[in-house]
PDB file of all heavy atoms in Angstrom:
ATOM      1  N   ALA A 244     -11.762   6.733  -1.637  1.00 96.00           N
ATOM      2  CA  ALA A 244     -10.691   5.757  -1.716  1.00 96.00           C
ATOM      3  C   ALA A 244      -9.616   6.160  -0.713  1.00 96.00           C
ATOM      4  O   ALA A 244      -9.235   7.330  -0.630  1.00 96.00           O
ATOM      5  CB  ALA A 244     -10.109   5.706  -3.118  1.00 96.00           C
ATOM      6  N   MET A 245      -9.149   5.192   0.042  1.00 97.00           N
ATOM      7  CA  MET A 245      -8.120   5.433   1.044  1.00 97.00           C
ATOM      8  C   MET A 245      -6.889   4.607   0.698  1.00 97.00           C
ATOM      9  O   MET A 245      -6.999   3.501   0.143  1.00 97.00           O
ATOM     10  CB  MET A 245      -8.617   5.022   2.434  1.00 97.00           C
ATOM     11  CG  MET A 245      -9.899   5.723   2.867  1.00 97.00           C
ATOM     12  SD  MET A 245      -9.711   7.488   3.119  1.00 97.00           S
ATOM     13  CE  MET A 245      -8.603   7.507   4.525  1.00 97.00           C
ATOM     14  N   GLY A 246      -5.737   5.134   1.035  1.00 97.00           N
ATOM     15  CA  GLY A 246      -4.512   4.429   0.700  1.00 97.00           C
ATOM     16  C   GLY A 246      -3.486   4.459   1.812  1.00 97.00           C
ATOM     17  O   GLY A 246      -3.600   5.233   2.757  1.00 97.00           O
ATOM     18  N   TRP A 247      -2.519   3.590   1.682  1.00 98.00           N
ATOM     19  CA  TRP A 247      -1.339   3.579   2.544  1.00 98.00           C
ATOM     20  C   TRP A 247      -0.103   3.678   1.655  1.00 98.00           C
ATOM     21  O   TRP A 247       0.012   2.953   0.668  1.00 98.00           O
ATOM     22  CB  TRP A 247      -1.262   2.302   3.377  1.00 98.00           C
ATOM     23  CG  TRP A 247      -2.244   2.234   4.507  1.00 98.00           C
ATOM     24  CD1 TRP A 247      -3.455   1.599   4.508  1.00 98.00           C
ATOM     25  CD2 TRP A 247      -2.100   2.815   5.801  1.00 98.00           C
ATOM     26  NE1 TRP A 247      -4.079   1.763   5.720  1.00 98.00           N
ATOM     27  CE2 TRP A 247      -3.258   2.491   6.545  1.00 98.00           C
ATOM     28  CE3 TRP A 247      -1.103   3.566   6.424  1.00 98.00           C
ATOM     29  CZ2 TRP A 247      -3.437   2.899   7.865  1.00 98.00           C
ATOM     30  CZ3 TRP A 247      -1.289   3.976   7.732  1.00 98.00           C
ATOM     31  CH2 TRP A 247      -2.443   3.648   8.434  1.00 98.00           C
ATOM     32  N   TYR A 248       0.773   4.580   2.032  1.00 98.00           N
ATOM     33  CA  TYR A 248       2.059   4.765   1.372  1.00 98.00           C
ATOM     34  C   TYR A 248       3.150   4.619   2.423  1.00 98.00           C
ATOM     35  O   TYR A 248       2.891   4.700   3.621  1.00 98.00           O
ATOM     36  CB  TYR A 248       2.160   6.158   0.736  1.00 98.00           C
ATOM     37  CG  TYR A 248       1.347   6.349  -0.514  1.00 98.00           C
ATOM     38  CD1 TYR A 248      -0.027   6.481  -0.460  1.00 98.00           C
ATOM     39  CD2 TYR A 248       1.969   6.403  -1.765  1.00 98.00           C
ATOM     40  CE1 TYR A 248      -0.779   6.659  -1.605  1.00 98.00           C
ATOM     41  CE2 TYR A 248       1.225   6.594  -2.926  1.00 98.00           C
ATOM     42  CZ  TYR A 248      -0.145   6.722  -2.831  1.00 98.00           C
ATOM     43  OH  TYR A 248      -0.878   6.895  -3.972  1.00 98.00           O
ATOM     44  N   ARG A 249       4.371   4.460   1.944  1.00 98.00           N
ATOM     45  CA  ARG A 249       5.499   4.460   2.861  1.00 98.00           C
ATOM     46  C   ARG A 249       6.706   5.110   2.215  1.00 98.00           C
ATOM     47  O   ARG A 249       6.828   5.145   0.995  1.00 98.00           O
ATOM     48  CB  ARG A 249       5.831   3.040   3.315  1.00 98.00           C
ATOM     49  CG  ARG A 249       6.447   2.155   2.252  1.00 98.00           C
ATOM     50  CD  ARG A 249       6.651   0.750   2.805  1.00 98.00           C
ATOM     51  NE  ARG A 249       7.424  -0.091   1.891  1.00 98.00           N
ATOM     52  CZ  ARG A 249       7.683  -1.366   2.100  1.00 98.00           C
ATOM     53  NH1 ARG A 249       7.237  -1.981   3.196  1.00 98.00           N
ATOM     54  NH2 ARG A 249       8.395  -2.051   1.228  1.00 98.00           N
ATOM     55  N   GLN A 250       7.587   5.614   3.069  1.00 98.00           N
ATOM     56  CA  GLN A 250       8.827   6.213   2.584  1.00 98.00           C
ATOM     57  C   GLN A 250       9.956   5.815   3.507  1.00 98.00           C
ATOM     58  O   GLN A 250       9.951   6.152   4.701  1.00 98.00           O
ATOM     59  CB  GLN A 250       8.723   7.732   2.502  1.00 98.00           C
ATOM     60  CG  GLN A 250       9.936   8.379   1.853  1.00 98.00           C
ATOM     61  CD  GLN A 250       9.703   9.833   1.498  1.00 98.00           C
ATOM     62  OE1 GLN A 250       8.822  10.486   2.039  1.00 98.00           O
ATOM     63  NE2 GLN A 250      10.489  10.334   0.557  1.00 98.00           N
ATOM     64  N   ALA A 251      10.892   5.079   2.939  1.00 97.00           N
ATOM     65  CA  ALA A 251      12.085   4.663   3.675  1.00 97.00           C
ATOM     66  C   ALA A 251      13.163   5.730   3.543  1.00 97.00           C
ATOM     67  O   ALA A 251      13.158   6.510   2.580  1.00 97.00           O
ATOM     68  CB  ALA A 251      12.581   3.329   3.128  1.00 97.00           C
ATOM     69  N   PRO A 252      14.099   5.776   4.475  1.00 92.00           N
ATOM     70  CA  PRO A 252      15.171   6.777   4.399  1.00 92.00           C
ATOM     71  C   PRO A 252      15.923   6.713   3.076  1.00 92.00           C
ATOM     72  O   PRO A 252      16.348   5.629   2.651  1.00 92.00           O
ATOM     73  CB  PRO A 252      16.083   6.386   5.571  1.00 92.00           C
ATOM     74  CG  PRO A 252      15.195   5.672   6.519  1.00 92.00           C
ATOM     75  CD  PRO A 252      14.197   4.935   5.671  1.00 92.00           C
ATOM     76  N   GLY A 253      16.048   7.849   2.437  1.00 95.00           N
ATOM     77  CA  GLY A 253      16.788   7.920   1.196  1.00 95.00           C
ATOM     78  C   GLY A 253      16.075   7.369  -0.022  1.00 95.00           C
ATOM     79  O   GLY A 253      16.675   7.278  -1.111  1.00 95.00           O
ATOM     80  N   LYS A 254      14.806   6.996   0.147  1.00 96.00           N
ATOM     81  CA  LYS A 254      14.055   6.421  -0.975  1.00 96.00           C
ATOM     82  C   LYS A 254      12.805   7.245  -1.258  1.00 96.00           C
ATOM     83  O   LYS A 254      12.348   8.016  -0.424  1.00 96.00           O
ATOM     84  CB  LYS A 254      13.671   4.980  -0.662  1.00 96.00           C
ATOM     85  CG  LYS A 254      14.850   4.035  -0.545  1.00 96.00           C
ATOM     86  CD  LYS A 254      14.389   2.595  -0.425  1.00 96.00           C
ATOM     87  CE  LYS A 254      15.564   1.644  -0.381  1.00 96.00           C
ATOM     88  NZ  LYS A 254      15.127   0.219  -0.300  1.00 96.00           N
ATOM     89  N   GLN A 255      12.259   7.025  -2.433  1.00 97.00           N
ATOM     90  CA  GLN A 255      11.028   7.711  -2.804  1.00 97.00           C
ATOM     91  C   GLN A 255       9.835   7.077  -2.090  1.00 97.00           C
ATOM     92  O   GLN A 255       9.852   5.895  -1.743  1.00 97.00           O
ATOM     93  CB  GLN A 255      10.818   7.642  -4.317  1.00 97.00           C
ATOM     94  CG  GLN A 255      11.781   8.515  -5.110  1.00 97.00           C
ATOM     95  CD  GLN A 255      11.397   8.595  -6.579  1.00 97.00           C
ATOM     96  OE1 GLN A 255      10.826   7.669  -7.136  1.00 97.00           O
ATOM     97  NE2 GLN A 255      11.701   9.713  -7.206  1.00 97.00           N
ATOM     98  N   ARG A 256       8.815   7.888  -1.921  1.00 97.00           N
ATOM     99  CA  ARG A 256       7.585   7.390  -1.338  1.00 97.00           C
ATOM    100  C   ARG A 256       6.953   6.382  -2.297  1.00 97.00           C
ATOM    101  O   ARG A 256       6.941   6.594  -3.508  1.00 97.00           O
ATOM    102  CB  ARG A 256       6.634   8.557  -1.075  1.00 97.00           C
ATOM    103  CG  ARG A 256       5.479   8.247  -0.178  1.00 97.00           C
ATOM    104  CD  ARG A 256       4.748   9.522   0.198  1.00 97.00           C
ATOM    105  NE  ARG A 256       5.567  10.383   1.053  1.00 97.00           N
ATOM    106  CZ  ARG A 256       5.120  11.513   1.596  1.00 97.00           C
ATOM    107  NH1 ARG A 256       3.878  11.911   1.363  1.00 97.00           N
ATOM    108  NH2 ARG A 256       5.910  12.237   2.351  1.00 97.00           N
ATOM    109  N   GLU A 257       6.412   5.286  -1.746  1.00 97.00           N
ATOM    110  CA  GLU A 257       5.827   4.259  -2.597  1.00 97.00           C
ATOM    111  C   GLU A 257       4.475   3.819  -2.057  1.00 97.00           C
ATOM    112  O   GLU A 257       4.228   3.853  -0.839  1.00 97.00           O
ATOM    113  CB  GLU A 257       6.760   3.046  -2.714  1.00 97.00           C
ATOM    114  CG  GLU A 257       7.109   2.373  -1.409  1.00 97.00           C
ATOM    115  CD  GLU A 257       8.130   1.250  -1.576  1.00 97.00           C
ATOM    116  OE1 GLU A 257       8.541   0.939  -2.716  1.00 97.00           O
ATOM    117  OE2 GLU A 257       8.512   0.665  -0.539  1.00 97.00           O
ATOM    118  N   LEU A 258       3.635   3.381  -2.966  1.00 97.00           N
ATOM    119  CA  LEU A 258       2.303   2.929  -2.609  1.00 97.00           C
ATOM    120  C   LEU A 258       2.364   1.536  -1.989  1.00 97.00           C
ATOM    121  O   LEU A 258       3.004   0.640  -2.527  1.00 97.00           O
ATOM    122  CB  LEU A 258       1.401   2.901  -3.852  1.00 97.00           C
ATOM    123  CG  LEU A 258      -0.005   2.354  -3.667  1.00 97.00           C
ATOM    124  CD1 LEU A 258      -0.826   3.262  -2.772  1.00 97.00           C
ATOM    125  CD2 LEU A 258      -0.682   2.175  -5.027  1.00 97.00           C
ATOM    126  N   VAL A 259       1.682   1.376  -0.859  1.00 98.00           N
ATOM    127  CA  VAL A 259       1.560   0.062  -0.233  1.00 98.00           C
ATOM    128  C   VAL A 259       0.273  -0.618  -0.703  1.00 98.00           C
ATOM    129  O   VAL A 259       0.272  -1.787  -1.067  1.00 98.00           O
ATOM    130  CB  VAL A 259       1.558   0.190   1.299  1.00 98.00           C
ATOM    131  CG1 VAL A 259       1.274  -1.156   1.947  1.00 98.00           C
ATOM    132  CG2 VAL A 259       2.886   0.761   1.783  1.00 98.00           C
ATOM    133  N   GLY A 260      -0.816   0.129  -0.696  1.00 97.00           N
ATOM    134  CA  GLY A 260      -2.087  -0.428  -1.148  1.00 97.00           C
ATOM    135  C   GLY A 260      -3.210   0.570  -1.002  1.00 97.00           C
ATOM    136  O   GLY A 260      -3.050   1.606  -0.346  1.00 97.00           O
ATOM    137  N   THR A 261      -4.338   0.258  -1.623  1.00 97.00           N
ATOM    138  CA  THR A 261      -5.498   1.133  -1.578  1.00 97.00           C
ATOM    139  C   THR A 261      -6.765   0.319  -1.360  1.00 97.00           C
ATOM    140  O   THR A 261      -6.843  -0.846  -1.754  1.00 97.00           O
ATOM    141  CB  THR A 261      -5.665   1.947  -2.868  1.00 97.00           C
ATOM    142  OG1 THR A 261      -5.801   1.039  -3.968  1.00 97.00           O
ATOM    143  CG2 THR A 261      -4.483   2.849  -3.113  1.00 97.00           C
ATOM    144  N   ILE A 262      -7.740   0.957  -0.728  1.00 97.00           N
ATOM    145  CA  ILE A 262      -9.077   0.372  -0.594  1.00 97.00           C
ATOM    146  C   ILE A 262     -10.056   1.375  -1.174  1.00 97.00           C
ATOM    147  O   ILE A 262     -10.088   2.546  -0.787  1.00 97.00           O
ATOM    148  CB  ILE A 262      -9.404   0.012   0.867  1.00 97.00           C
ATOM    149  CG1 ILE A 262     -10.815  -0.575   0.963  1.00 97.00           C
ATOM    150  CG2 ILE A 262      -9.217   1.195   1.812  1.00 97.00           C
ATOM    151  CD1 ILE A 262     -11.096  -1.243   2.310  1.00 97.00           C
ATOM    152  N   ARG A 263     -10.852   0.922  -2.140  1.00 95.00           N
ATOM    153  CA  ARG A 263     -11.761   1.804  -2.830  1.00 95.00           C
ATOM    154  C   ARG A 263     -13.110   1.871  -2.122  1.00 95.00           C
ATOM    155  O   ARG A 263     -13.373   1.103  -1.192  1.00 95.00           O
ATOM    156  CB  ARG A 263     -11.917   1.341  -4.279  1.00 95.00           C
ATOM    157  CG  ARG A 263     -10.619   1.510  -5.076  1.00 95.00           C
ATOM    158  CD  ARG A 263     -10.745   1.054  -6.503  1.00 95.00           C
ATOM    159  NE  ARG A 263      -9.536   1.358  -7.274  1.00 95.00           N
ATOM    160  CZ  ARG A 263      -8.425   0.664  -7.223  1.00 95.00           C
ATOM    161  NH1 ARG A 263      -8.346  -0.380  -6.450  1.00 95.00           N
ATOM    162  NH2 ARG A 263      -7.390   1.016  -7.957  1.00 95.00           N
ATOM    163  N   THR A 264     -13.955   2.768  -2.580  1.00 93.00           N
ATOM    164  CA  THR A 264     -15.235   2.955  -1.917  1.00 93.00           C
ATOM    165  C   THR A 264     -16.078   1.687  -1.931  1.00 93.00           C
ATOM    166  O   THR A 264     -16.799   1.405  -0.975  1.00 93.00           O
ATOM    167  CB  THR A 264     -16.022   4.093  -2.577  1.00 93.00           C
ATOM    168  OG1 THR A 264     -16.125   3.839  -3.981  1.00 93.00           O
ATOM    169  CG2 THR A 264     -15.297   5.426  -2.382  1.00 93.00           C
ATOM    170  N   GLY A 265     -15.969   0.899  -2.985  1.00 91.00           N
ATOM    171  CA  GLY A 265     -16.738  -0.343  -3.068  1.00 91.00           C
ATOM    172  C   GLY A 265     -16.149  -1.472  -2.262  1.00 91.00           C
ATOM    173  O   GLY A 265     -16.762  -2.550  -2.154  1.00 91.00           O
ATOM    174  N   GLY A 266     -14.968  -1.244  -1.704  1.00 90.00           N
ATOM    175  CA  GLY A 266     -14.327  -2.253  -0.868  1.00 90.00           C
ATOM    176  C   GLY A 266     -13.231  -3.037  -1.555  1.00 90.00           C
ATOM    177  O   GLY A 266     -12.557  -3.849  -0.907  1.00 90.00           O
ATOM    178  N   SER A 267     -13.042  -2.837  -2.853  1.00 95.00           N
ATOM    179  CA  SER A 267     -11.959  -3.563  -3.526  1.00 95.00           C
ATOM    180  C   SER A 267     -10.609  -3.029  -3.041  1.00 95.00           C
ATOM    181  O   SER A 267     -10.477  -1.839  -2.742  1.00 95.00           O
ATOM    182  CB  SER A 267     -12.074  -3.413  -5.037  1.00 95.00           C
ATOM    183  OG  SER A 267     -11.950  -2.065  -5.426  1.00 95.00           O
ATOM    184  N   ILE A 268      -9.645  -3.927  -2.965  1.00 97.00           N
ATOM    185  CA  ILE A 268      -8.334  -3.591  -2.401  1.00 97.00           C
ATOM    186  C   ILE A 268      -7.239  -4.020  -3.368  1.00 97.00           C
ATOM    187  O   ILE A 268      -7.315  -5.103  -3.961  1.00 97.00           O
ATOM    188  CB  ILE A 268      -8.124  -4.289  -1.048  1.00 97.00           C
ATOM    189  CG1 ILE A 268      -9.240  -3.894  -0.070  1.00 97.00           C
ATOM    190  CG2 ILE A 268      -6.761  -3.919  -0.460  1.00 97.00           C
ATOM    191  CD1 ILE A 268      -9.221  -4.672   1.224  1.00 97.00           C
ATOM    192  N   ASN A 269      -6.237  -3.167  -3.511  1.00 96.00           N
ATOM    193  CA  ASN A 269      -5.055  -3.493  -4.305  1.00 96.00           C
ATOM    194  C   ASN A 269      -3.814  -3.342  -3.441  1.00 96.00           C
ATOM    195  O   ASN A 269      -3.748  -2.445  -2.605  1.00 96.00           O
ATOM    196  CB  ASN A 269      -4.954  -2.563  -5.517  1.00 96.00           C
ATOM    197  CG  ASN A 269      -6.090  -2.769  -6.494  1.00 96.00           C
ATOM    198  OD1 ASN A 269      -7.073  -2.047  -6.462  1.00 96.00           O
ATOM    199  ND2 ASN A 269      -5.964  -3.783  -7.323  1.00 96.00           N
ATOM    200  N   TYR A 270      -2.848  -4.204  -3.671  1.00 97.00           N
ATOM    201  CA  TYR A 270      -1.601  -4.173  -2.917  1.00 97.00           C
ATOM    202  C   TYR A 270      -0.416  -4.101  -3.859  1.00 97.00           C
ATOM    203  O   TYR A 270      -0.439  -4.644  -4.965  1.00 97.00           O
ATOM    204  CB  TYR A 270      -1.449  -5.438  -2.067  1.00 97.00           C
ATOM    205  CG  TYR A 270      -2.506  -5.620  -1.010  1.00 97.00           C
ATOM    206  CD1 TYR A 270      -3.591  -6.455  -1.237  1.00 97.00           C
ATOM    207  CD2 TYR A 270      -2.417  -4.963   0.212  1.00 97.00           C
ATOM    208  CE1 TYR A 270      -4.566  -6.638  -0.271  1.00 97.00           C
ATOM    209  CE2 TYR A 270      -3.388  -5.141   1.187  1.00 97.00           C
ATOM    210  CZ  TYR A 270      -4.445  -5.972   0.939  1.00 97.00           C
ATOM    211  OH  TYR A 270      -5.405  -6.153   1.908  1.00 97.00           O
ATOM    212  N   ALA A 271       0.642  -3.466  -3.371  1.00 96.00           N
ATOM    213  CA  ALA A 271       1.910  -3.530  -4.079  1.00 96.00           C
ATOM    214  C   ALA A 271       2.443  -4.953  -3.993  1.00 96.00           C
ATOM    215  O   ALA A 271       2.202  -5.667  -3.019  1.00 96.00           O
ATOM    216  CB  ALA A 271       2.907  -2.558  -3.456  1.00 96.00           C
ATOM    217  N   ASP A 272       3.185  -5.351  -5.007  1.00 95.00           N
ATOM    218  CA  ASP A 272       3.690  -6.726  -5.039  1.00 95.00           C
ATOM    219  C   ASP A 272       4.547  -7.058  -3.822  1.00 95.00           C
ATOM    220  O   ASP A 272       4.536  -8.201  -3.347  1.00 95.00           O
ATOM    221  CB  ASP A 272       4.503  -6.951  -6.316  1.00 95.00           C
ATOM    222  CG  ASP A 272       3.616  -7.042  -7.547  1.00 95.00           C
ATOM    223  OD1 ASP A 272       2.393  -7.266  -7.389  1.00 95.00           O
ATOM    224  OD2 ASP A 272       4.140  -6.894  -8.668  1.00 95.00           O
ATOM    225  N   PHE A 273       5.269  -6.088  -3.305  1.00 92.00           N
ATOM    226  CA  PHE A 273       6.209  -6.379  -2.231  1.00 92.00           C
ATOM    227  C   PHE A 273       5.526  -6.648  -0.887  1.00 92.00           C
ATOM    228  O   PHE A 273       6.185  -7.059   0.067  1.00 92.00           O
ATOM    229  CB  PHE A 273       7.247  -5.264  -2.086  1.00 92.00           C
ATOM    230  CG  PHE A 273       6.684  -3.895  -1.847  1.00 92.00           C
ATOM    231  CD1 PHE A 273       6.234  -3.503  -0.597  1.00 92.00           C
ATOM    232  CD2 PHE A 273       6.594  -2.989  -2.889  1.00 92.00           C
ATOM    233  CE1 PHE A 273       5.720  -2.243  -0.370  1.00 92.00           C
ATOM    234  CE2 PHE A 273       6.077  -1.713  -2.687  1.00 92.00           C
ATOM    235  CZ  PHE A 273       5.634  -1.343  -1.421  1.00 92.00           C
ATOM    236  N   VAL A 274       4.206  -6.415  -0.777  1.00 89.00           N
ATOM    237  CA  VAL A 274       3.516  -6.688   0.483  1.00 89.00           C
ATOM    238  C   VAL A 274       2.433  -7.752   0.350  1.00 89.00           C
ATOM    239  O   VAL A 274       1.815  -8.131   1.348  1.00 89.00           O
ATOM    240  CB  VAL A 274       2.895  -5.418   1.089  1.00 89.00           C
ATOM    241  CG1 VAL A 274       3.969  -4.376   1.349  1.00 89.00           C
ATOM    242  CG2 VAL A 274       1.776  -4.866   0.227  1.00 89.00           C
ATOM    243  N   LYS A 275       2.204  -8.240  -0.848  1.00 83.00           N
ATOM    244  CA  LYS A 275       1.144  -9.234  -1.039  1.00 83.00           C
ATOM    245  C   LYS A 275       1.384 -10.470  -0.179  1.00 83.00           C
ATOM    246  O   LYS A 275       2.471 -11.009  -0.131  1.00 83.00           O
ATOM    247  CB  LYS A 275       1.059  -9.621  -2.512  1.00 83.00           C
ATOM    248  CG  LYS A 275       0.345  -8.589  -3.378  1.00 83.00           C
ATOM    249  CD  LYS A 275       0.239  -9.052  -4.817  1.00 83.00           C
ATOM    250  CE  LYS A 275      -0.492  -8.014  -5.663  1.00 83.00           C
ATOM    251  NZ  LYS A 275      -0.560  -8.417  -7.088  1.00 83.00           N
ATOM    252  N   GLY A 276       0.315 -10.863   0.508  1.00 90.00           N
ATOM    253  CA  GLY A 276       0.397 -12.031   1.379  1.00 90.00           C
ATOM    254  C   GLY A 276       0.892 -11.724   2.779  1.00 90.00           C
ATOM    255  O   GLY A 276       0.800 -12.576   3.662  1.00 90.00           O
ATOM    256  N   ARG A 277       1.397 -10.508   2.993  1.00 97.00           N
ATOM    257  CA  ARG A 277       1.906 -10.139   4.316  1.00 97.00           C
ATOM    258  C   ARG A 277       1.089  -9.018   4.949  1.00 97.00           C
ATOM    259  O   ARG A 277       0.905  -9.006   6.162  1.00 97.00           O
ATOM    260  CB  ARG A 277       3.369  -9.701   4.229  1.00 97.00           C
ATOM    261  CG  ARG A 277       4.298 -10.761   3.694  1.00 97.00           C
ATOM    262  CD  ARG A 277       5.761 -10.350   3.860  1.00 97.00           C
ATOM    263  NE  ARG A 277       6.066  -9.119   3.128  1.00 97.00           N
ATOM    264  CZ  ARG A 277       6.603  -8.022   3.677  1.00 97.00           C
ATOM    265  NH1 ARG A 277       6.879  -8.001   4.971  1.00 97.00           N
ATOM    266  NH2 ARG A 277       6.876  -6.953   2.940  1.00 97.00           N
ATOM    267  N   PHE A 278       0.637  -8.076   4.143  1.00 98.00           N
ATOM    268  CA  PHE A 278      -0.096  -6.919   4.653  1.00 98.00           C
ATOM    269  C   PHE A 278      -1.570  -7.018   4.248  1.00 98.00           C
ATOM    270  O   PHE A 278      -1.886  -7.528   3.166  1.00 98.00           O
ATOM    271  CB  PHE A 278       0.467  -5.623   4.078  1.00 98.00           C
ATOM    272  CG  PHE A 278       1.843  -5.249   4.563  1.00 98.00           C
ATOM    273  CD1 PHE A 278       2.611  -6.111   5.316  1.00 98.00           C
ATOM    274  CD2 PHE A 278       2.356  -3.999   4.254  1.00 98.00           C
ATOM    275  CE1 PHE A 278       3.875  -5.751   5.749  1.00 98.00           C
ATOM    276  CE2 PHE A 278       3.619  -3.624   4.677  1.00 98.00           C
ATOM    277  CZ  PHE A 278       4.381  -4.496   5.419  1.00 98.00           C
ATOM    278  N   THR A 279      -2.436  -6.503   5.110  1.00 98.00           N
ATOM    279  CA  THR A 279      -3.873  -6.498   4.836  1.00 98.00           C
ATOM    280  C   THR A 279      -4.453  -5.136   5.181  1.00 98.00           C
ATOM    281  O   THR A 279      -4.232  -4.628   6.283  1.00 98.00           O
ATOM    282  CB  THR A 279      -4.596  -7.577   5.653  1.00 98.00           C
ATOM    283  OG1 THR A 279      -4.028  -8.861   5.374  1.00 98.00           O
ATOM    284  CG2 THR A 279      -6.081  -7.603   5.300  1.00 98.00           C
ATOM    285  N   ILE A 280      -5.176  -4.575   4.229  1.00 98.00           N
ATOM    286  CA  ILE A 280      -5.877  -3.303   4.451  1.00 98.00           C
ATOM    287  C   ILE A 280      -7.343  -3.604   4.719  1.00 98.00           C
ATOM    288  O   ILE A 280      -7.952  -4.442   4.052  1.00 98.00           O
ATOM    289  CB  ILE A 280      -5.742  -2.387   3.226  1.00 98.00           C
ATOM    290  CG1 ILE A 280      -4.278  -1.974   3.022  1.00 98.00           C
ATOM    291  CG2 ILE A 280      -6.617  -1.154   3.379  1.00 98.00           C
ATOM    292  CD1 ILE A 280      -4.033  -1.201   1.736  1.00 98.00           C
ATOM    293  N   SER A 281      -7.894  -2.900   5.709  1.00 97.00           N
ATOM    294  CA  SER A 281      -9.316  -3.043   6.009  1.00 97.00           C
ATOM    295  C   SER A 281      -9.867  -1.692   6.436  1.00 97.00           C
ATOM    296  O   SER A 281      -9.104  -0.746   6.704  1.00 97.00           O
ATOM    297  CB  SER A 281      -9.540  -4.088   7.097  1.00 97.00           C
ATOM    298  OG  SER A 281      -8.894  -3.718   8.301  1.00 97.00           O
TER     299      SER A 281
END
């Protein structure tokens, strides 16, 4: 499983999304419809 995280200045690191071995993908609500993991 591979993931993307991000950390803005002064903020905690947060999950952007993950892609699992089977290919299923989950996104954080704040990026849905804008970001795509492949």
